[in-house]
Amino acid sequence: MNRVLLRDGWVDLETGEVVRAGTAAGVLSPIEQRLVRYLAERPGRVVGRVVLLSEVLGYRLLVATRTIDTTIRRFRQKLEVVLKEKNQLLS
């Protein structure tokens, strides 16, 4: 899987490029790319923070961190930069 299709665009998981409504909307960080790939491989599933910390970031101990929240916030900003409609990613 090299691309994740969005309602009006796509995310290239190799380069991290985000395109919405035919416009480049930004480039994902490596962590954001891993997060998108992980979620795209599990469509319709609810994935908890602890699972994301372990499976996406490789954390093995239960730690207090806002890394996932920060990563999702930054990813949302990149996805929604060219949209008027918000909440493309539910969390």
Side-chain angles (χ1 to χ4, degrees):
M1 172 189 330
N2 290 330
R3 280 190 177 176
V4 175
L5 299 179
L6 306 171
R7 191 176 319 167
D8 65 343
W10 46 268
V11 175
D12 185 316
L13 295 176
E14 299 301 318
T15 65
E17 181 183 16
V18 178
V19 175
R20 299 300 305 258
T23 303
V27 177
L28 301 180
S29 71
I31 291 174
E32 292 166 339
Q33 289 172 308
R34 288 196 309 264
L35 176 64
V36 171
R37 182 181 299 275
Y38 186 87
L39 295 173
E41 290 172 348
R42 293 154 182 81
R45 291 190 194 166
V46 175
V47 182
R49 177 181 285 112
V50 173
V51 172
L52 292 175
L53 286 170
S54 173
E55 298 296 319
V56 176
L57 299 178
Y59 287 26
R60 296 295 172 229
L61 301 174
L62 200 55
V63 294
T65 180
R66 303 306 285 182
T67 302
I68 291 297
D69 300 310
T70 302
T71 300
I72 289 175
R73 180 180 48 79
R74 288 181 183 153
F75 176 62
R76 274 193 176 124
Q77 289 171 341
K78 290 174 184 176
L79 281 184
E80 296 172 349
V81 71
V82 295
L83 294 177
K84 291 185 172 78
E85 181 181 337
K86 301 295 182 191
N87 299 318
Q88 298 293 312
L89 179 65
L90 301 176
S91 63

